[in-house]
PDB file of all heavy atoms in Angstrom:
ATOM      1  N   ALA A  19      -9.856 -13.610  11.172  1.00  0.00           N
ATOM      2  CA  ALA A  19      -9.499 -12.794  12.359  1.00  0.00           C
ATOM      3  C   ALA A  19     -10.663 -12.402  13.170  1.00  0.00           C
ATOM      4  O   ALA A  19     -10.698 -12.483  14.413  1.00  0.00           O
ATOM      5  CB  ALA A  19      -8.562 -11.618  12.085  1.00  0.00           C
ATOM      6  N   ALA A  20     -11.732 -12.034  12.409  1.00  0.00           N
ATOM      7  CA  ALA A  20     -12.964 -11.551  13.125  1.00  0.00           C
ATOM      8  C   ALA A  20     -13.868 -12.662  13.484  1.00  0.00           C
ATOM      9  O   ALA A  20     -14.834 -12.566  14.086  1.00  0.00           O
ATOM     10  CB  ALA A  20     -13.669 -10.527  12.301  1.00  0.00           C
ATOM     11  N   ARG A  21     -13.657 -13.867  12.842  1.00  0.00           N
ATOM     12  CA  ARG A  21     -14.485 -15.059  12.947  1.00  0.00           C
ATOM     13  C   ARG A  21     -15.941 -14.778  12.532  1.00  0.00           C
ATOM     14  O   ARG A  21     -16.938 -15.235  13.027  1.00  0.00           O
ATOM     15  CB  ARG A  21     -14.443 -15.594  14.421  1.00  0.00           C
ATOM     16  CG  ARG A  21     -13.203 -15.906  14.987  1.00  0.00           C
ATOM     17  CD  ARG A  21     -13.281 -16.222  16.418  1.00  0.00           C
ATOM     18  NE  ARG A  21     -14.236 -17.164  16.862  1.00  0.00           N
ATOM     19  CZ  ARG A  21     -14.477 -17.594  18.097  1.00  0.00           C
ATOM     20  NH1 ARG A  21     -13.789 -16.969  19.072  1.00  0.00           N
ATOM     21  NH2 ARG A  21     -15.346 -18.518  18.336  1.00  0.00           N
ATOM     22  N   ARG A  22     -15.976 -14.073  11.274  1.00  0.00           N
ATOM     23  CA  ARG A  22     -17.255 -13.676  10.754  1.00  0.00           C
ATOM     24  C   ARG A  22     -17.229 -13.930   9.244  1.00  0.00           C
ATOM     25  O   ARG A  22     -16.621 -13.164   8.467  1.00  0.00           O
ATOM     26  CB  ARG A  22     -17.675 -12.233  11.042  1.00  0.00           C
ATOM     27  CG  ARG A  22     -17.924 -12.002  12.577  1.00  0.00           C
ATOM     28  CD  ARG A  22     -18.205 -10.657  12.837  1.00  0.00           C
ATOM     29  NE  ARG A  22     -19.328 -10.055  12.091  1.00  0.00           N
ATOM     30  CZ  ARG A  22     -19.683  -8.821  12.214  1.00  0.00           C
ATOM     31  NH1 ARG A  22     -18.989  -7.860  12.818  1.00  0.00           N
ATOM     32  NH2 ARG A  22     -20.821  -8.441  11.587  1.00  0.00           N
ATOM     33  N   THR A  23     -17.849 -15.041   8.809  1.00  0.00           N
ATOM     34  CA  THR A  23     -17.838 -15.330   7.340  1.00  0.00           C
ATOM     35  C   THR A  23     -18.557 -14.241   6.555  1.00  0.00           C
ATOM     36  O   THR A  23     -18.223 -13.942   5.387  1.00  0.00           O
ATOM     37  CB  THR A  23     -18.619 -16.635   7.041  1.00  0.00           C
ATOM     38  OG1 THR A  23     -19.931 -16.554   7.621  1.00  0.00           O
ATOM     39  CG2 THR A  23     -17.818 -17.815   7.687  1.00  0.00           C
ATOM     40  N   GLU A  24     -19.559 -13.477   7.149  1.00  0.00           N
ATOM     41  CA  GLU A  24     -20.298 -12.520   6.376  1.00  0.00           C
ATOM     42  C   GLU A  24     -19.433 -11.334   5.953  1.00  0.00           C
ATOM     43  O   GLU A  24     -19.816 -10.524   5.062  1.00  0.00           O
ATOM     44  CB  GLU A  24     -21.575 -12.119   7.185  1.00  0.00           C
ATOM     45  CG  GLU A  24     -21.292 -11.340   8.477  1.00  0.00           C
ATOM     46  CD  GLU A  24     -21.139 -12.258   9.712  1.00  0.00           C
ATOM     47  OE1 GLU A  24     -20.873 -13.389   9.500  1.00  0.00           O
ATOM     48  OE2 GLU A  24     -21.282 -11.718  10.829  1.00  0.00           O
ATOM     49  N   LEU A  25     -18.375 -11.190   6.640  1.00  0.00           N
ATOM     50  CA  LEU A  25     -17.481  -9.991   6.264  1.00  0.00           C
ATOM     51  C   LEU A  25     -16.978 -10.122   4.759  1.00  0.00           C
ATOM     52  O   LEU A  25     -16.532  -9.191   4.131  1.00  0.00           O
ATOM     53  CB  LEU A  25     -16.349  -9.863   7.162  1.00  0.00           C
ATOM     54  CG  LEU A  25     -16.531  -9.448   8.589  1.00  0.00           C
ATOM     55  CD1 LEU A  25     -15.246  -9.318   9.287  1.00  0.00           C
ATOM     56  CD2 LEU A  25     -17.214  -8.127   8.602  1.00  0.00           C
ATOM     57  N   LEU A  26     -17.073 -11.415   4.229  1.00  0.00           N
ATOM     58  CA  LEU A  26     -16.608 -11.567   2.798  1.00  0.00           C
ATOM     59  C   LEU A  26     -17.613 -11.022   1.811  1.00  0.00           C
ATOM     60  O   LEU A  26     -17.283 -10.765   0.698  1.00  0.00           O
ATOM     61  CB  LEU A  26     -16.421 -13.123   2.652  1.00  0.00           C
ATOM     62  CG  LEU A  26     -15.309 -13.775   3.450  1.00  0.00           C
ATOM     63  CD1 LEU A  26     -15.480 -15.295   3.386  1.00  0.00           C
ATOM     64  CD2 LEU A  26     -13.942 -13.312   2.970  1.00  0.00           C
ATOM     65  N   ASP A  27     -18.885 -10.905   2.222  1.00  0.00           N
ATOM     66  CA  ASP A  27     -19.941 -10.660   1.230  1.00  0.00           C
ATOM     67  C   ASP A  27     -19.704  -9.279   0.542  1.00  0.00           C
ATOM     68  O   ASP A  27     -19.756  -9.149  -0.671  1.00  0.00           O
ATOM     69  CB  ASP A  27     -21.310 -10.634   1.968  1.00  0.00           C
ATOM     70  CG  ASP A  27     -21.605 -11.884   2.559  1.00  0.00           C
ATOM     71  OD1 ASP A  27     -20.899 -12.881   2.417  1.00  0.00           O
ATOM     72  OD2 ASP A  27     -22.774 -12.062   3.141  1.00  0.00           O
ATOM     73  N   GLU A  28     -19.533  -8.226   1.290  1.00  0.00           N
ATOM     74  CA  GLU A  28     -19.249  -6.937   0.673  1.00  0.00           C
ATOM     75  C   GLU A  28     -18.143  -6.818  -0.218  1.00  0.00           C
ATOM     76  O   GLU A  28     -18.254  -6.242  -1.261  1.00  0.00           O
ATOM     77  CB  GLU A  28     -19.200  -5.852   1.785  1.00  0.00           C
ATOM     78  CG  GLU A  28     -19.317  -4.359   1.327  1.00  0.00           C
ATOM     79  CD  GLU A  28     -20.792  -4.072   0.824  1.00  0.00           C
ATOM     80  OE1 GLU A  28     -21.647  -4.691   1.299  1.00  0.00           O
ATOM     81  OE2 GLU A  28     -20.813  -3.256  -0.188  1.00  0.00           O
ATOM     82  N   GLN A  29     -17.045  -7.595   0.096  1.00  0.00           N
ATOM     83  CA  GLN A  29     -15.867  -7.643  -0.792  1.00  0.00           C
ATOM     84  C   GLN A  29     -16.180  -8.358  -2.138  1.00  0.00           C
ATOM     85  O   GLN A  29     -15.719  -7.914  -3.208  1.00  0.00           O
ATOM     86  CB  GLN A  29     -14.746  -8.303  -0.105  1.00  0.00           C
ATOM     87  CG  GLN A  29     -14.313  -7.611   1.273  1.00  0.00           C
ATOM     88  CD  GLN A  29     -13.798  -6.112   1.081  1.00  0.00           C
ATOM     89  OE1 GLN A  29     -13.352  -5.763  -0.050  1.00  0.00           O
ATOM     90  NE2 GLN A  29     -13.903  -5.303   2.116  1.00  0.00           N
ATOM     91  N   ILE A  30     -16.957  -9.439  -1.988  1.00  0.00           N
ATOM     92  CA  ILE A  30     -17.423 -10.207  -3.122  1.00  0.00           C
ATOM     93  C   ILE A  30     -18.189  -9.331  -4.084  1.00  0.00           C
ATOM     94  O   ILE A  30     -18.019  -9.189  -5.350  1.00  0.00           O
ATOM     95  CB  ILE A  30     -18.119 -11.494  -2.832  1.00  0.00           C
ATOM     96  CG1 ILE A  30     -17.246 -12.330  -1.962  1.00  0.00           C
ATOM     97  CG2 ILE A  30     -18.662 -12.199  -4.136  1.00  0.00           C
ATOM     98  CD1 ILE A  30     -15.980 -12.781  -2.724  1.00  0.00           C
ATOM     99  N   LEU A  31     -19.175  -8.560  -3.549  1.00  0.00           N
ATOM    100  CA  LEU A  31     -20.143  -7.737  -4.316  1.00  0.00           C
ATOM    101  C   LEU A  31     -19.231  -6.563  -4.923  1.00  0.00           C
ATOM    102  O   LEU A  31     -19.485  -6.280  -6.034  1.00  0.00           O
ATOM    103  CB  LEU A  31     -21.054  -7.078  -3.355  1.00  0.00           C
ATOM    104  CG  LEU A  31     -22.199  -8.131  -2.849  1.00  0.00           C
ATOM    105  CD1 LEU A  31     -23.038  -7.416  -1.767  1.00  0.00           C
ATOM    106  CD2 LEU A  31     -22.977  -8.792  -3.872  1.00  0.00           C
ATOM    107  N   TRP A  32     -18.289  -6.083  -4.195  1.00  0.00           N
ATOM    108  CA  TRP A  32     -17.421  -4.986  -4.794  1.00  0.00           C
ATOM    109  C   TRP A  32     -16.585  -5.609  -5.963  1.00  0.00           C
ATOM    110  O   TRP A  32     -16.475  -4.949  -7.031  1.00  0.00           O
ATOM    111  CB  TRP A  32     -16.480  -4.434  -3.724  1.00  0.00           C
ATOM    112  CG  TRP A  32     -15.505  -3.469  -4.362  1.00  0.00           C
ATOM    113  CD1 TRP A  32     -15.725  -2.078  -4.415  1.00  0.00           C
ATOM    114  CD2 TRP A  32     -14.209  -3.589  -4.703  1.00  0.00           C
ATOM    115  NE1 TRP A  32     -14.543  -1.469  -4.957  1.00  0.00           N
ATOM    116  CE2 TRP A  32     -13.696  -2.459  -5.133  1.00  0.00           C
ATOM    117  CE3 TRP A  32     -13.365  -4.800  -4.679  1.00  0.00           C
ATOM    118  CZ2 TRP A  32     -12.355  -2.348  -5.627  1.00  0.00           C
ATOM    119  CZ3 TRP A  32     -12.116  -4.631  -5.263  1.00  0.00           C
ATOM    120  CH2 TRP A  32     -11.610  -3.425  -5.698  1.00  0.00           C
ATOM    121  N   GLY A  33     -16.069  -6.765  -5.761  1.00  0.00           N
ATOM    122  CA  GLY A  33     -15.342  -7.349  -6.831  1.00  0.00           C
ATOM    123  C   GLY A  33     -16.078  -7.584  -8.096  1.00  0.00           C
ATOM    124  O   GLY A  33     -15.579  -7.406  -9.211  1.00  0.00           O
ATOM    125  N   ASN A  34     -17.386  -7.854  -7.957  1.00  0.00           N
ATOM    126  CA  ASN A  34     -18.178  -8.108  -9.083  1.00  0.00           C
ATOM    127  C   ASN A  34     -18.479  -6.712  -9.849  1.00  0.00           C
ATOM    128  O   ASN A  34     -18.784  -6.809 -11.052  1.00  0.00           O
ATOM    129  CB  ASN A  34     -19.518  -8.828  -8.820  1.00  0.00           C
ATOM    130  CG  ASN A  34     -19.307 -10.274  -8.632  1.00  0.00           C
ATOM    131  OD1 ASN A  34     -19.569 -11.042  -9.603  1.00  0.00           O
ATOM    132  ND2 ASN A  34     -18.928 -10.775  -7.535  1.00  0.00           N
ATOM    133  N   GLU A  35     -18.419  -5.672  -9.181  1.00  0.00           N
ATOM    134  CA  GLU A  35     -18.561  -4.379  -9.779  1.00  0.00           C
ATOM    135  C   GLU A  35     -17.373  -3.903 -10.474  1.00  0.00           C
ATOM    136  O   GLU A  35     -17.316  -3.390 -11.469  1.00  0.00           O
ATOM    137  CB  GLU A  35     -19.065  -3.275  -8.715  1.00  0.00           C
ATOM    138  CG  GLU A  35     -20.355  -3.535  -8.229  1.00  0.00           C
ATOM    139  CD  GLU A  35     -20.820  -2.474  -7.146  1.00  0.00           C
ATOM    140  OE1 GLU A  35     -19.903  -1.611  -6.918  1.00  0.00           O
ATOM    141  OE2 GLU A  35     -21.892  -2.602  -6.615  1.00  0.00           O
ATOM    142  N   ARG A  36     -16.215  -4.214  -9.797  1.00  0.00           N
ATOM    143  CA  ARG A  36     -14.935  -3.721 -10.291  1.00  0.00           C
ATOM    144  C   ARG A  36     -14.107  -4.532 -11.362  1.00  0.00           C
ATOM    145  O   ARG A  36     -13.623  -4.086 -12.226  1.00  0.00           O
ATOM    146  CB  ARG A  36     -13.956  -3.536  -8.958  1.00  0.00           C
ATOM    147  CG  ARG A  36     -12.509  -2.967  -9.461  1.00  0.00           C
ATOM    148  CD  ARG A  36     -12.622  -1.562  -9.894  1.00  0.00           C
ATOM    149  NE  ARG A  36     -11.342  -1.080 -10.256  1.00  0.00           N
ATOM    150  CZ  ARG A  36     -10.866  -1.106 -11.551  1.00  0.00           C
ATOM    151  NH1 ARG A  36     -11.528  -1.738 -12.444  1.00  0.00           N
ATOM    152  NH2 ARG A  36      -9.734  -0.626 -11.847  1.00  0.00           N
ATOM    153  N   GLN A  37     -14.225  -5.830 -11.109  1.00  0.00           N
ATOM    154  CA  GLN A  37     -13.354  -6.812 -11.931  1.00  0.00           C
ATOM    155  C   GLN A  37     -13.732  -6.807 -13.444  1.00  0.00           C
ATOM    156  O   GLN A  37     -12.844  -6.794 -14.289  1.00  0.00           O
ATOM    157  CB  GLN A  37     -13.431  -8.176 -11.402  1.00  0.00           C
ATOM    158  CG  GLN A  37     -12.761  -8.350 -10.053  1.00  0.00           C
ATOM    159  CD  GLN A  37     -11.205  -8.470 -10.199  1.00  0.00           C
ATOM    160  OE1 GLN A  37     -10.603  -7.660 -10.815  1.00  0.00           O
ATOM    161  NE2 GLN A  37     -10.701  -9.658  -9.602  1.00  0.00           N
ATOM    162  N   PRO A  38     -15.014  -6.611 -13.782  1.00  0.00           N
ATOM    163  CA  PRO A  38     -15.280  -6.549 -15.251  1.00  0.00           C
ATOM    164  C   PRO A  38     -14.549  -5.396 -15.978  1.00  0.00           C
ATOM    165  O   PRO A  38     -14.173  -5.528 -17.187  1.00  0.00           O
ATOM    166  CB  PRO A  38     -16.751  -6.374 -15.290  1.00  0.00           C
ATOM    167  CG  PRO A  38     -17.309  -7.009 -14.052  1.00  0.00           C
ATOM    168  CD  PRO A  38     -16.265  -6.676 -12.999  1.00  0.00           C
ATOM    169  N   HIS A  39     -14.192  -4.405 -15.281  1.00  0.00           N
ATOM    170  CA  HIS A  39     -13.465  -3.284 -15.931  1.00  0.00           C
ATOM    171  C   HIS A  39     -12.009  -3.737 -16.190  1.00  0.00           C
ATOM    172  O   HIS A  39     -11.367  -3.102 -16.968  1.00  0.00           O
ATOM    173  CB  HIS A  39     -13.477  -1.975 -15.022  1.00  0.00           C
ATOM    174  CG  HIS A  39     -14.797  -1.501 -14.737  1.00  0.00           C
ATOM    175  ND1 HIS A  39     -15.480  -0.759 -15.735  1.00  0.00           N
ATOM    176  CD2 HIS A  39     -15.641  -1.588 -13.737  1.00  0.00           C
ATOM    177  CE1 HIS A  39     -16.650  -0.411 -15.278  1.00  0.00           C
ATOM    178  NE2 HIS A  39     -16.834  -0.731 -14.011  1.00  0.00           N
ATOM    179  N   ASP A  40     -11.534  -4.705 -15.506  1.00  0.00           N
ATOM    180  CA  ASP A  40     -10.188  -5.329 -15.747  1.00  0.00           C
ATOM    181  C   ASP A  40     -10.184  -6.494 -16.688  1.00  0.00           C
ATOM    182  O   ASP A  40      -9.238  -7.150 -16.803  1.00  0.00           O
ATOM    183  CB  ASP A  40      -9.584  -5.654 -14.410  1.00  0.00           C
ATOM    184  CG  ASP A  40      -9.274  -4.420 -13.467  1.00  0.00           C
ATOM    185  OD1 ASP A  40      -9.042  -3.366 -13.948  1.00  0.00           O
ATOM    186  OD2 ASP A  40      -9.390  -4.641 -12.250  1.00  0.00           O
ATOM    187  N   GLY A  41     -11.458  -6.810 -17.189  1.00  0.00           N
ATOM    188  CA  GLY A  41     -11.497  -7.885 -18.111  1.00  0.00           C
ATOM    189  C   GLY A  41     -11.750  -9.273 -17.434  1.00  0.00           C
ATOM    190  O   GLY A  41     -11.680 -10.370 -18.027  1.00  0.00           O
ATOM    191  N   VAL A  42     -12.205  -9.215 -16.109  1.00  0.00           N
ATOM    192  CA  VAL A  42     -12.453 -10.396 -15.387  1.00  0.00           C
ATOM    193  C   VAL A  42     -13.942 -10.495 -15.274  1.00  0.00           C
ATOM    194  O   VAL A  42     -14.577  -9.713 -14.538  1.00  0.00           O
ATOM    195  CB  VAL A  42     -11.772 -10.498 -14.038  1.00  0.00           C
ATOM    196  CG1 VAL A  42     -12.094 -11.659 -13.258  1.00  0.00           C
ATOM    197  CG2 VAL A  42     -10.278 -10.290 -14.228  1.00  0.00           C
ATOM    198  N   LEU A  43     -14.591 -11.474 -15.949  1.00  0.00           N
ATOM    199  CA  LEU A  43     -16.025 -11.646 -15.894  1.00  0.00           C
ATOM    200  C   LEU A  43     -16.371 -12.356 -14.591  1.00  0.00           C
ATOM    201  O   LEU A  43     -15.687 -13.139 -13.876  1.00  0.00           O
ATOM    202  CB  LEU A  43     -16.578 -12.497 -17.070  1.00  0.00           C
ATOM    203  CG  LEU A  43     -16.197 -11.759 -18.414  1.00  0.00           C
ATOM    204  CD1 LEU A  43     -16.726 -12.626 -19.567  1.00  0.00           C
ATOM    205  CD2 LEU A  43     -16.896 -10.426 -18.451  1.00  0.00           C
ATOM    206  N   PRO A  44     -17.669 -12.360 -14.027  1.00  0.00           N
ATOM    207  CA  PRO A  44     -18.127 -13.041 -12.856  1.00  0.00           C
ATOM    208  C   PRO A  44     -17.972 -14.461 -12.991  1.00  0.00           C
ATOM    209  O   PRO A  44     -17.599 -15.123 -12.010  1.00  0.00           O
ATOM    210  CB  PRO A  44     -19.665 -12.632 -12.840  1.00  0.00           C
ATOM    211  CG  PRO A  44     -19.666 -11.259 -13.449  1.00  0.00           C
ATOM    212  CD  PRO A  44     -18.654 -11.308 -14.632  1.00  0.00           C
ATOM    213  N   GLU A  45     -18.082 -15.125 -14.202  1.00  0.00           N
ATOM    214  CA  GLU A  45     -17.871 -16.487 -14.348  1.00  0.00           C
ATOM    215  C   GLU A  45     -16.456 -16.836 -14.106  1.00  0.00           C
ATOM    216  O   GLU A  45     -16.148 -17.928 -13.543  1.00  0.00           O
ATOM    217  CB  GLU A  45     -18.387 -16.883 -15.740  1.00  0.00           C
ATOM    218  CG  GLU A  45     -19.772 -16.805 -16.038  1.00  0.00           C
ATOM    219  CD  GLU A  45     -20.263 -15.358 -16.317  1.00  0.00           C
ATOM    220  OE1 GLU A  45     -19.437 -14.455 -16.456  1.00  0.00           O
ATOM    221  OE2 GLU A  45     -21.442 -15.236 -16.634  1.00  0.00           O
ATOM    222  N   HIS A  46     -15.502 -15.959 -14.619  1.00  0.00           N
ATOM    223  CA  HIS A  46     -14.099 -16.218 -14.318  1.00  0.00           C
ATOM    224  C   HIS A  46     -13.787 -16.106 -12.757  1.00  0.00           C
ATOM    225  O   HIS A  46     -13.102 -16.858 -12.294  1.00  0.00           O
ATOM    226  CB  HIS A  46     -13.268 -15.194 -15.068  1.00  0.00           C
ATOM    227  CG  HIS A  46     -13.487 -15.094 -16.488  1.00  0.00           C
ATOM    228  ND1 HIS A  46     -13.092 -14.062 -17.304  1.00  0.00           N
ATOM    229  CD2 HIS A  46     -13.926 -15.955 -17.347  1.00  0.00           C
ATOM    230  CE1 HIS A  46     -13.400 -14.338 -18.551  1.00  0.00           C
ATOM    231  NE2 HIS A  46     -13.962 -15.560 -18.557  1.00  0.00           N
TER     232      HIS A  46
END
C-alpha cells in the first residue's frame, strides 16, 4: 500500500526477536 519495500525490515527484525520465544527459530 505504501509502495516501500523497506517497511518490511523492522517487522522482520521484530519477528526474529519474538518468534524464538514461541519455538520458531530464525532458520524456520
Side-chain angles (χ1 to χ4, degrees):
R21 297 172 58 183
R22 294 176 60 185
T23 57
E24 66 270 23
L25 290 183
L26 297 166
D27 296 359
E28 192 66 28
Q29 302 296 337
I30 299 298
L31 294 172
W32 176 84
N34 278 267
E35 292 180 359
R36 179 69 184 90
Q37 290 282 54
H39 297 287
D40 294 328
V42 179
L43 300 179
E45 292 81 1
H46 300 161

